[in-house]
């Protein structure tokens, strides 16, 4: 096996770990709620804490890779991830579970940006579209199989098995990283932007806590105050980043239109699906569907996603990103809207809804993944990967927190319409990127054969 193939395999393994931990847990939420007496916002934090850990550590990827070397950094990351997974799977309470999921996210947060940068660096520009196709194949198979596996583990054993199932895969990744990645000497790194790192991390953390508290009766005033505080801190971070010579994140890379629009699409389309999946799981459970059945609805999602990936690969170079992305957003919005009418004993409607969400979401995600790195030079791949993956994790985290918050608020005020209004909001969020997409010239969204 060539070194390039080994690096790609290791990256795809890390990517699989990340996807497993995002998609497998939602089917276990009803069981966790019963066993640990967890509220809806607390359930959202099982995923949000993991994603928050990823988000907090991703900006450090370039700096840590230069200081420690990529092989050592990957090994440390995988070791912490494995420890966090074991502790989360044995957590005695919802508070401990959320805390260990945060540790797991901190450990695994560097797997994707570092591995992705290595894979694209070893891949010639002309072959990067094929690498993207392999990435999207993993992005299709893992979300399709994970919920079904999670449902079986819940029904045959316990929700704890859902959290522990990624441990063997992480151990394999640790061994392969130690054996396959070339050592490489640590490189000189610019001074760490400590102020930017502190402000960005604080702003994001306060924002997620605020969204969680707003959904809790008796805590809404505190949540609203923290929401204002988060906005202030993030504004200070943005101002600091503009004045820093070497910011912790290279926002200047957003000068590339393809990266800019790809990040917006990922923020508001795949991210919204993650939040919708939480809402749909609770709705379907309320309608009497079991965990295995709910997980099984990801099968039509996967079939439709396969069609979307094949369509993207064929048509993106021919007609451009704008019509594919627009059609994909429309399909996902329609699929989310169809969930409003789900009823017990009529599984065809959620099957159709998940198929539309799979088709639309994967049209958008595969197009965005292909476009994101088209304009980046080799030296920009690691900081660009950090920026892309931070946005990717942030989109999943914020959408789930926002939709859980809205659902909890509406359940207290308008319980009969809570699920309907939340799903209408999710459908609208899926369509928002169209506003920017049609303002950009088509030439800025075309594929290039070299960075």
């Amino acid at each position: 096996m060539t070194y390039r193939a080994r690096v790609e395999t290791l990256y795809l393994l890390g990517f699989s770990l990340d996807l497993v931990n995002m998609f497998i847990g939602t089917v276990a939420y009803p069981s966790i709620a019963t066993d640990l007496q967890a509220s809806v916002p607390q359930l959202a934090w099982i995923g949000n804490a993991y994603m928050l850990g990823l988000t907090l550590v991703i900006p450090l990827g370039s700096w840590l890779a230069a200081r420690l070397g990529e092989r050592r950094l990957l090994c440390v990351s995988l070791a912490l991830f494995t420890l966090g997974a074991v502790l989360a799977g044995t957590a005695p309470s919802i508070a401990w579970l959320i805390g260990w999921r945060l540790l797991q996210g901190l450990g695994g947060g560097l797997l994707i940006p570092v591995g992705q940068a290595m894979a694209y660096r070893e891949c010639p520009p002309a072959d990067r579209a094929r690498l993207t196709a392999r990435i999207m194949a993993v992005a299709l198979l893992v979300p399709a199989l994970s919920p079904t596996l999670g449902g079986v583990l819940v029904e045959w054993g316990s929700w704890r098995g859902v959290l522990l199932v990624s441990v063997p895969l992480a151990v394999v990744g640790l061994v392969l990283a130690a054996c396959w990645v070339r050592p490489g000497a640590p490189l000189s790194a610019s001074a760490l932007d400590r102020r930017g790192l502190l402000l960005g991390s604080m702003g994001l953390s306060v924002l997620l806590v605020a969204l969680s508290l707003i959904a809790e009766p008796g805590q809404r005033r505190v949540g609203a105050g923290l929401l204002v505080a988060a906005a202030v801190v993030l504004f200070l971070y943005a101002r600091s980043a503009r004045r820093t010579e070497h910011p912790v994140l290279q926002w200047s890379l957003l000068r590339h239109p393809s990266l800019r629009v790809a990040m917006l699409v990922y923020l508001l389309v795949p991210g919204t699906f993650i939040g919708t999946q939480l809402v749909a799981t609770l709705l379907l459970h309320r309608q009497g569907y079991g965990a295995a059945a709910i997980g099984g609805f990801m099968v039509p999602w996967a079939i439709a996603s396969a069609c979307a990936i094949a369509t993207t690969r064929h048509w993106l170079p021919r007609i451009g990103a704008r019509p594919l992305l627009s059609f994909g957003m429309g399909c996902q919005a329609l699929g989310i809207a169809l969930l409003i009418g789900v009823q017990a004993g009529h599984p065809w409607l959620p099957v159709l809804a998940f198929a539309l969400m799979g088709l639309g979401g994967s049209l958008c995600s595969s197009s965005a993944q292909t476009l994101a790195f088209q304009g980046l030079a080799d030296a920009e791949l690691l900081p660009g990967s950090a920026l892309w993956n931070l946005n990717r994790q942030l989109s999943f985290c914020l959408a789930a927190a926002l939709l859980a918050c809205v659902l909890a608020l509406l359940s207290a005020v308008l319980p009969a319409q809570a699920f309907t209004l939340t799903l209408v909001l999710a459908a609208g969020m899926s369509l928002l990127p169209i506003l920017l997409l049609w303002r950009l010239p088509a030439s800025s969204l075309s594929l290039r054969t070299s960075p």
Side-chain angles (χ1 to χ4, degrees):
M1 183 181 289
T2 65
Y3 184 69
R4 170 184 163 184
R6 292 179 178 181
V7 169
E8 288 183 8
T9 300
L10 184 59
Y11 162 59
L12 293 176
L13 182 60
F15 188 40
S16 300
L17 280 170
D18 182 53
L19 291 173
V20 164
N21 279 274
M22 281 194 292
F23 282 90
I24 198 172
T26 52
V27 296
Y29 284 177
S31 297
I32 295 173
T34 301
D35 193 14
L36 301 182
Q37 292 81 49
S39 64
V40 171
Q42 287 175 324
L43 291 177
W45 269 99
I46 297 172
N48 288 345
Y50 172 75
M51 294 180 195
L52 177 60
L54 295 173
T55 304
L56 294 179
V57 78
I58 281 174
L60 289 171
S62 299
W63 186 80
L64 286 174
R67 294 292 297 268
L68 300 178
E70 290 172 335
R71 185 175 74 170
R72 185 180 300 174
L73 181 58
L74 287 174
C75 290
V76 171
S77 181
L78 282 162
L80 286 177
F81 177 91
T82 304
L83 176 63
V86 171
L87 293 173
T90 56
S93 68
I94 187 64
W96 281 108
L97 175 56
I98 292 171
W100 295 133
R101 287 284 284 174
L102 176 64
L103 175 65
Q104 189 180 7
L106 290 171
L110 298 172
L111 296 178
I112 297 178
V114 176
Q116 187 176 63
M118 292 170 59
Y120 275 92
R121 188 190 313 129
E122 295 295 326
C123 184
D127 292 338
R128 288 178 182 174
R130 296 188 185 91
L131 174 59
T132 296
R134 289 190 285 273
I135 293 170
M136 294 310 303
V138 172
L140 164 64
L141 291 173
V142 176
L145 298 176
S146 295
T148 304
L149 174 61
V152 171
L153 289 173
V154 170
E155 292 193 350
W156 289 3
S158 167
W159 60 264
R160 298 184 184 277
V162 172
L163 298 174
L164 293 170
V165 72
S166 63
V167 172
L169 196 61
V171 172
V172 170
L174 177 59
V175 173
L176 293 181
C179 296
W180 280 0
V181 178
R182 293 170 181 165
L187 305 174
S188 60
S190 58
L192 180 64
D193 178 19
R194 293 183 176 87
R195 176 182 173 85
L197 181 63
L198 176 63
L199 288 174
S201 301
M202 184 184 300
L204 176 61
S205 301
V206 174
L207 175 61
L208 292 175
V209 172
L211 290 173
S212 178
L213 291 179
I214 287 175
E216 294 284 355
Q219 298 291 331
R220 289 169 186 160
R221 289 186 178 180
V222 177
L226 288 177
L227 194 61
V228 174
V232 172
V233 174
L234 290 174
F235 170 77
L236 293 174
Y237 164 73
R239 188 174 67 174
S240 173
R242 287 196 302 267
R243 299 177 178 179
T244 302
E245 183 178 359
H246 299 288
V248 67
L249 288 169
Q250 292 189 22
W251 295 103
S252 61
L253 294 177
L254 292 179
R255 67 183 182 274
H256 298 288
S258 57
L259 178 61
R260 187 165 66 246
V261 73
M263 288 177 60
L264 180 64
V265 168
Y266 231 107
L267 185 67
L268 290 172
V269 181
T272 296
F273 173 72
I274 297 298
T276 301
Q277 193 181 24
L278 168 62
V279 177
T281 297
L282 297 173
L283 176 60
L284 291 167
H285 178 73
R286 182 179 175 181
Q287 294 290 344
Y289 291 93
I294 295 172
F297 288 130
M298 287 299 292
V299 175
W301 181 93
I303 295 172
S305 294
C307 297
I309 293 171
T311 299
T312 302
R313 187 174 182 180
H314 179 76
W315 286 108
L316 185 59
R318 291 169 171 79
I319 66 174
R322 187 150 52 195
L324 285 178
L325 290 172
S326 299
F327 182 72
M329 293 175 213
C331 286
Q332 174 162 303
L334 178 59
I336 293 173
L338 288 179
L339 289 172
I340 296 172
V342 297
Q343 295 178 359
H346 296 83
W348 63 268
L349 189 58
V351 166
L352 178 58
F354 273 86
L356 283 170
M357 288 188 288
L359 177 64
S362 291
L363 279 174
C364 291
S365 60
S366 57
S367 298
Q369 179 77 45
T370 302
L371 286 172
F373 300 98
Q374 288 298 312
L376 302 185
D378 285 350
E380 296 174 324
L381 285 175
L382 185 52
S385 181
L387 199 62
W388 166 259
N389 284 286
L390 177 63
N391 176 79
R392 174 176 169 271
Q393 301 296 347
L394 183 59
S395 66
F396 297 158
C397 191
L398 288 180
L402 175 62
L403 292 178
C405 173
V406 170
L407 179 61
L409 284 172
L410 291 175
S411 296
V413 180
L414 298 169
Q417 292 82 35
F419 280 99
T420 297
L421 294 176
T422 303
L423 291 171
V424 168
L425 172 62
M429 290 168 59
S430 300
L431 295 172
L432 280 177
I434 289 180
L435 299 176
L436 174 64
L437 183 65
W438 285 89
R439 295 182 61 185
L440 293 174
S443 59
S444 67
L445 302 176
S446 61
L447 292 178
R448 287 183 262 182
T449 57
S450 59

